[in-house]
Amino acid sequence: MTDAVQVDDGATHALVLGLGCERGTAVEEVIALAEDALRAAGRDRCRLAVVASLDTRAEEPAMSATARHFAVPFRTFDAATLEAETPRLAHPSDTVFRHTGCHGVAEASALAAAGAAGRLLVPKMKSAHATAAIAEVFQAVAGDFSESESASASARPASLRTV
């Protein structure tokens, strides 16, 4: 199913949370880092539209748990899609590239989900085993979500409507 989130509130824009983590990272660590990133954005967490990451993290419990925590969909991108975001990254990493095939996960997934008109609002932040970044959305956030992801999307704030 294709689902798009349309921002319809004038000056305030929706946020995308990009996440990366080592395999087996504790749910609590990822959620705490996500909360820190949203505070750093200086924005109300109810503006969060989607959590995004690299497709190899699709089955990581901490990723889906973080999306559920914020009652938003979880979207993943392949390494080639994230690599295309490299020119827009604040902190590209050759080490990350060697491990994943893209120069960044948190920043790149936030930007990929935000679209071409989106901008990085909070560059990569790190915890012991995870990374987070926030992008601001200036257009619809579109993507293919599973039924469970679409179900969590129904809990989005009223200012974000599905089109």
Side-chain angles (χ1 to χ4, degrees):
M1 161 172 149
T2 299
D3 189 340
V5 177
Q6 179 67 47
V7 179
D8 188 21
D9 61 352
T12 304
H13 300 101
L15 304 178
V16 175
L17 171 64
L19 293 175
C21 74
E22 295 175 12
R23 292 200 188 280
T25 301
V27 170
E28 298 79 13
E29 179 180 343
V30 176
I31 290 173
L33 180 60
E35 293 279 4
D36 288 347
L38 287 166
R39 274 192 293 280
R43 306 295 169 93
D44 187 339
R45 74 184 238 177
C46 74
R47 307 306 310 154
L48 186 63
V50 66
V51 172
S53 191
L54 180 64
D55 61 1
T56 61
R57 294 299 177 255
E59 301 303 318
E60 270 306 306
M63 296 295 185
S64 55
T66 301
R68 283 191 307 275
H69 174 78
F70 292 111
V72 297
F74 176 52
R75 181 166 185 210
T76 63
F77 298 92
D78 62 28
T81 299
L82 297 187
E83 181 60 11
E85 297 296 335
T86 299
R88 300 198 303 157
L89 302 184
H91 302 288
S93 168
D94 291 335
T95 301
V96 172
F97 181 80
R98 283 192 297 277
H99 290 284
T100 65
C102 57
H103 280 88
V105 175
E107 290 179 348
S109 58
L111 288 166
R119 72 176 177 99
L120 196 59
L121 191 60
V122 176
K124 178 172 65 176
M125 298 175 62
K126 297 179 184 180
S127 66
H129 306 285
T131 58
I134 304 283
E136 192 168 20
V137 179
F138 295 96
Q139 62 188 26
V141 178
D144 294 326
F145 302 114
S146 70
E147 286 183 23
S148 63
E149 291 162 336
S150 295
S152 68
S154 65
R156 280 192 289 262
S159 61
L160 301 177
R161 61 181 166 81
T162 302
V163 291

